[in-house]
Amino acid sequence: MYDVFITKASTYLPNEPVSNDEMETYLGYINDAKSKAKSLILRNNKITTRYYALDKEGNPTHTNAQITAKAIEGLFDENFKKEDMKLLSVGTTSPDQIQPSHASMVHGELNIGKSIEINTATGLCNSGMNALNYGFLSVKAGVQEAAVCAGSERMSAWMTADKFNHEAENLVLLEERPIIAFKREFLRWMLSDGAGAFLLENKPRENETNLKVEWIDFYSYAHEIEACMYAGCEKQEDGSLKSWADYPSDEWLKQSIFALKQDTKILDKYILVKGAESLRSSFDKHTLDPDSIDHVLAHISSGYFKEGLKDEFAKVGLDFPWEKWYYNLSEIGNIGAGSIFVALEQLMNSGKLKKGEKILLCVPESGRFAYSCALLTVC
């Protein structure tokens, strides 16, 4: 078995940052009316700027594959050239198509000129960590000497007004708009576009910041809890999901079957509690002392959860002081599967890290409540 190091990190955020006041310029007005929920959601999530792969007319400027490729290209240098890449592992919530896989499309964008091993992790926020874990295990086992791993999103294209206009008209007729529209509109004001990428190698680089990956753990609570975030389906009264394939095609638009939806009641009930439970399990498993942690990078979808997450961690004996926490949500928005990559890249290249420091990564996924965490050592 080999040690595994993150030897380089790179980020790509498309276009210029978009302020709260500009959001509907890019995403459009549903039925030409200003959103009634926008101000409330933004006040709670504390996001002030985000990035969109759109122009001000709502036209796409990049695909998800292109965003991911641009982040990956930042990893290449004289020590690791494009042609040296043999393994590409990527994760996203928002691939550009159902098939081919996201990794296939990124491989094509990179124009490497040769065949490589590829892996696509699907799902929600944890798909980025799943992609990282595939690369980590491949290098650790000696299957590959290096791996390129990335997490990315292009959710803005899912959130443009034209995707909701037809549904809004139907909901007004049914007098259901206040309830149903919120669970669909909620995420319009939460999500951002971007990508982050890591180069994993089995040896650290001299005279550079390297992060040794000590372990990565995963937990799923789907055996206990129904789906909370979902797309390509509709939740039934018993909590089950009915697939898009089981609906007549003329219902896909009427019911916004492909829209990403969030059940906020279930979210509030479980997201923090299960996150603390899973992290406590990892600290017990690895006999890890909470005081040994120097930096906590916890992905949160909204600033609404910031205080609560710290409190829930403290309840299970993981009381990390505020000076150890690192957040960039307010500046870049919620990039889902790419968020932890972008946050770690910013910290890694900040010049603030010291040899021997421990970095804790925590990522929740509200899809059906799955969690991941990882421990890194600065070396």
Side-chain angles (χ1 to χ4, degrees):
M1 303 290 277
Y2 293 81
D3 288 335
V4 183
F5 304 87
I6 300 174
T7 57
K8 196 168 184 179
S10 175
T11 290
Y12 183 77
L13 302 174
N15 304 316
E16 297 298 319
V18 176
S19 70
N20 290 350
D21 291 339
E22 297 175 296
M23 293 179 76
E24 284 176 301
T25 302
Y26 289 83
L27 299 179
Y29 296 91
I30 298 176
N31 282 353
D32 298 321
K34 288 187 176 182
S35 168
K36 294 181 179 180
K38 175 187 170 186
S39 59
L40 172 63
I41 296 168
L42 288 171
R43 186 163 62 249
N44 284 323
N45 68 29
K46 313 295 188 206
I47 299 170
T48 57
T49 55
R50 74 284 297 144
Y51 292 81
Y52 290 148
L54 300 172
D55 62 22
K56 288 188 176 182
E57 284 70 48
N59 301 309
T61 59
H62 306 73
T63 65
N64 190 334
Q66 289 169 341
I67 292 172
T68 310
K70 287 182 178 293
I72 291 170
E73 286 168 353
L75 301 176
F76 302 136
D77 56 24
E78 64 277 5
N79 297 314
F80 186 81
K81 300 178 176 63
K82 183 183 289 189
E83 54 268 27
D84 295 329
M85 185 165 60
K86 295 181 180 179
L87 169 59
L88 171 66
S89 180
V90 297
T92 188
T93 307
S94 52
D96 298 309
Q97 61 289 307
I98 297 175
Q99 297 296 344
S101 74
H102 183 49
S104 290
M105 302 306 291
V106 176
H107 179 204
E109 286 290 337
L110 287 168
N111 194 27
I112 300 171
K114 68 173 187 178
S115 174
I116 62 171
E117 180 185 355
I118 61 172
N119 172 65
T120 298
T122 61
L124 293 163
C125 297
N126 259 320
S127 59
M129 289 292 283
N130 290 138
L132 177 62
N133 193 47
Y134 187 94
F136 166 64
L137 294 177
S138 294
V139 176
K140 191 167 188 63
V143 177
Q144 301 286 357
E145 293 182 353
V148 170
C149 304
S152 68
E153 301 293 358
R154 189 190 70 144
M155 292 303 311
S156 60
W158 293 36
M159 300 298 165
T160 54
D162 60 290
K163 309 297 194 303
F164 298 85
N165 285 337
H166 191 275
E167 177 196 5
E169 292 169 359
N170 280 280
L171 291 175
V172 170
L173 291 174
L174 294 171
E175 297 181 350
E176 296 176 0
R177 185 173 183 178
I179 298 174
I180 298 181
F182 184 80
K183 74 176 181 180
R184 289 162 168 78
E185 187 186 0
F186 176 74
L187 294 167
R188 290 190 87 209
W189 317 116
M190 305 284 289
L191 303 176
S192 184
D193 299 344
F198 298 157
L199 173 60
L200 275 56
E201 298 183 272
N202 60 12
K203 296 178 182 177
R205 293 188 176 188
E206 292 185 4
N207 303 316
E208 295 186 29
T209 299
N210 301 273
L211 305 179
K212 182 183 177 184
V213 183
E214 303 288 355
W215 47 259
I216 306 176
D217 289 343
F218 293 87
Y219 302 87
S220 169
Y221 296 94
H223 63 297
E224 298 178 15
I225 314 170
E226 67 187 59
C228 175
M229 183 181 284
Y230 49 96
C233 55
E234 190 56 71
K235 184 181 281 193
Q236 308 301 293
E237 290 186 5
D238 63 358
S240 64
L241 298 181
K242 183 176 178 180
S243 167
W244 63 271
D246 296 325
Y247 281 91
S249 59
D250 61 355
E251 290 295 315
W252 295 350
L253 183 59
K254 291 179 182 178
Q255 298 194 46
S256 293
I257 296 298
F258 291 96
L260 188 63
K261 312 166 191 77
Q262 181 91 69
D263 188 332
T264 54
K265 291 182 180 179
I266 298 179
L267 181 71
D268 287 344
K269 183 176 180 180
Y270 292 110
I271 192 67
L272 300 182
V273 173
K274 290 300 183 182
E277 179 181 326
S278 61
L279 189 61
R280 180 71 259 178
S281 295
S282 283
F283 270 69
D284 292 343
K285 174 183 175 182
H286 300 284
T287 59
L288 187 62
D289 181 0
D291 292 336
S292 69
I293 302 300
D294 300 286
H295 304 277
V296 180
L297 276 64
H299 167 54
I300 53 174
S301 61
S302 168
Y304 171 80
F305 294 116
K306 186 177 178 180
E307 298 279 350
L309 182 62
K310 184 179 185 301
D311 291 344
E312 287 297 332
F313 280 1
K315 289 178 183 178
V316 296
L318 304 173
D319 191 7
F320 306 113
W322 277 121
E323 59 266 23
K324 293 186 176 184
W325 294 73
Y326 180 85
Y327 283 118
N328 60 359
L329 176 73
S330 62
E331 295 83 24
I332 67 166
N334 176 6
I335 310 179
S339 288
I340 203 69
F341 283 78
V342 176
L344 185 61
E345 184 273 332
Q346 291 182 350
L347 181 61
M348 186 177 179
N349 292 326
S350 68
K352 298 178 180 179
L353 296 178
K354 299 176 182 178
K355 184 177 180 180
E357 288 186 329
K358 301 290 185 182
I359 303 172
L360 179 67
L361 307 182
C362 307
V363 179
E365 177 176 297
S366 62
R368 199 162 174 177
F369 297 95
Y371 299 82
S372 59
C373 53
L375 183 68
L376 314 175
T377 302
V378 182
C379 58

